[in-house]
Amino acid sequence: MYLFRFLFLFGFIISNLVYATPLKIDSTKSNITITFKQMGVPIDAKFTQFSSKINFDKNTPNTSTAQIDIPIASFDLGDKQYNQEVLKKEWFNAAQFPRASFTSNKIKSRNATQLDVDGTLTIKGKSQAIHFVLNTKTIGKQQIFEGTLPIKRLHYRIGEGEWADTSILADEVFIKFQFTALP
Amino acid sequence: MKRYSTTAILLHWLMSLLIIAAFILGTIMTDIPGITPTKLQYYAWHKWLGVTILGLVAFRLIWRLTHPIPTYTKPLPLWQERAAHTLHISLYVFMFALPLTGYFYSLAAGIPVVYLNLLQLPVLIAPNATLKPILKEIHEILSNGLLIAFVLHAAAALKHHFIDKDDILKRMLPSTKE
């Protein structure tokens, strides 16, 4: 009998030592949208496809990791002509750099509902160290992660040549994302 | 000779310049292939002109309805009076319908109008992929209608001035007397 108790206790301890578990992301309740200003006009676009590998443990957030991968061709501005345009060399150069990606380096708890995330964002072959605050909330059995990441498009050379003019297209672009994890 | 009020004369010539500018921009900008910064700039300016014209024509209509226009010095044949009246009404219709269809076309395309880069105007409809090409087409057809009405309007005015030698055009010219 003591053996069983011992095994049970042993198993219990072991299971709590397990690191952050991979989350199942509900793609129908997750999205990545970008907002930018074109001559003062706010425009929204979204990436209709992305893959994510998020390992997260609520109790030990610093063991969490996130890896997001976005095919550039899934960019959708709601207009076919514009969607074709952004794949070109002056923009994302999707032929040479078909994917954008984010890899987390450090995640730590900020408060009960927020995490500080440090990571590397790579777009058009250019990597930048970035930091953002991730908001977490739980609705029923779903865990929702969302945040906004401002980037400067010229850092990644998105919009080169005549398009580098920030009076036509602002430098600051906001990447808004939401990931919903299934239980 | 009784001429139009100073306000009416001012609005008439100011708006004709704005409308001509909007028309020229509209013609050039839709001819630019692909997507270029210049094209986006022209689209923005074209919309700013449109919004200005819409604001002015609203005021102009109220003015027109509250201030009687000068009666004809010499009575015109009834068919000419009717034709003129019809043409003027259609010009007002175009002056309202063009900026309005343009505005909703922009909204249907998911692009709000930010007047003069400063003031975002109300987003009255959500992006609508079905309405977008319809409004675009109507806007273009109306602009062609306006062109025809404009040509008839200008031709008639010049006819009255140079052929009939009456004071019809003079009524809409600013007084040189003060």
Side-chain angles (χ1 to χ4, degrees), chain A residues 39-42 79 82 162-163, chain B residues 35 37 40 112 114 117 120 132:
Chain A
M39 285 192 82
V41 179
D79 178 281
Y82 279 102
E162 55 181 0
W163 288 109
Chain B
I35 297 165
L40 293 182
V114 180
N117 232 15
Q120 179 165 322
K132 178 180 164 188

Side-chain angles (χ1 to χ4, degrees), chain B residues 81-97:
Chain B
E81 236 180 276
R82 285 215 185 107
H85 197 61
T86 309
L87 190 57
H88 295 156
I89 290 178
S90 38
L91 282 168
Y92 269 94
V93 168
F94 285 123
M95 288 193 287
F96 274 100

Side-chain angles (χ1 to χ4, degrees), chain B residues 37-116:
Chain B
T38 308
K39 186 172 185 173
L40 293 182
Q41 227 166 14
Y42 286 0
Y43 266 81
W45 295 344
H46 178 85
K47 292 179 196 181
W48 297 350
L49 282 168
V51 171
T52 311
I53 290 165
L54 185 62
L56 286 174
V57 80
F59 172 68
R60 184 175 177 181
L61 181 63
I62 295 172
W63 185 269
R64 176 73 161 80
L65 295 171
T66 54
H67 294 75
I69 60 166
T71 50
Y72 293 119
T73 313
K74 208 173 58 175
L76 292 174
L78 191 59
W79 75 266
Q80 274 191 33
E81 236 180 276
R82 285 215 185 107
H85 197 61
T86 309
L87 190 57
H88 295 156
I89 290 178
S90 38
L91 282 168
Y92 269 94
V93 168
F94 285 123
M95 288 193 287
F96 274 100
L98 270 162
L100 285 171
T101 49
Y103 188 75
F104 283 100
Y105 166 35
S106 189
L107 293 183
I111 303 176
V113 179
V114 180
Y115 186 51
L116 300 178

Side-chain angles (χ1 to χ4, degrees), chain B residues 10-178:
Chain B
L10 187 63
L11 282 170
H12 175 269
W13 295 106
L14 173 62
M15 287 192 67
S16 67
L17 287 175
L18 295 176
I19 291 170
I20 289 169
F23 186 90
I24 292 174
L25 269 177
T27 308
I28 295 176
M29 75 194 197
T30 49
D31 275 344
I32 299 174
I35 297 165
T36 69
T38 308
K39 186 172 185 173
L40 293 182
Q41 227 166 14
Y42 286 0
Y43 266 81
W45 295 344
H46 178 85
K47 292 179 196 181
W48 297 350
L49 282 168
V51 171
T52 311
I53 290 165
L54 185 62
L56 286 174
V57 80
F59 172 68
R60 184 175 177 181
L61 181 63
I62 295 172
W63 185 269
R64 176 73 161 80
L65 295 171
T66 54
H67 294 75
I69 60 166
T71 50
Y72 293 119
T73 313
K74 208 173 58 175
L76 292 174
L78 191 59
W79 75 266
Q80 274 191 33
E81 236 180 276
R82 285 215 185 107
H85 197 61
T86 309
L87 190 57
H88 295 156
I89 290 178
S90 38
L91 282 168
Y92 269 94
V93 168
F94 285 123
M95 288 193 287
F96 274 100
L98 270 162
L100 285 171
T101 49
Y103 188 75
F104 283 100
Y105 166 35
S106 189
L107 293 183
I111 303 176
V113 179
V114 180
Y115 186 51
L116 300 178
N117 232 15
L118 297 168
L119 179 66
Q120 179 165 322
L121 299 177
V123 178
L124 300 170
I125 58 166
N128 189 320
T130 320
L131 273 183
K132 178 180 164 188
I134 296 173
L135 287 168
K136 174 179 195 258
E137 207 49 40
I138 295 177
H139 189 72
E140 284 183 356
I141 292 172
L142 286 175
S143 72
N144 291 328
L146 175 63
L147 180 63
I148 295 170
F150 166 77
V151 168
L152 290 172
H153 176 68
L158 294 172
K159 163 215 176 275
H160 278 285
H161 192 74
F162 291 110
I163 298 177
D164 300 332
K165 294 203 201 319
D166 57 32
D167 62 8
I168 296 264
L169 176 55
K170 287 193 220 168
R171 289 152 27 112
M172 198 39 112
L173 292 177
S175 166
T176 48
K177 275 211 188 105
E178 280 84 32

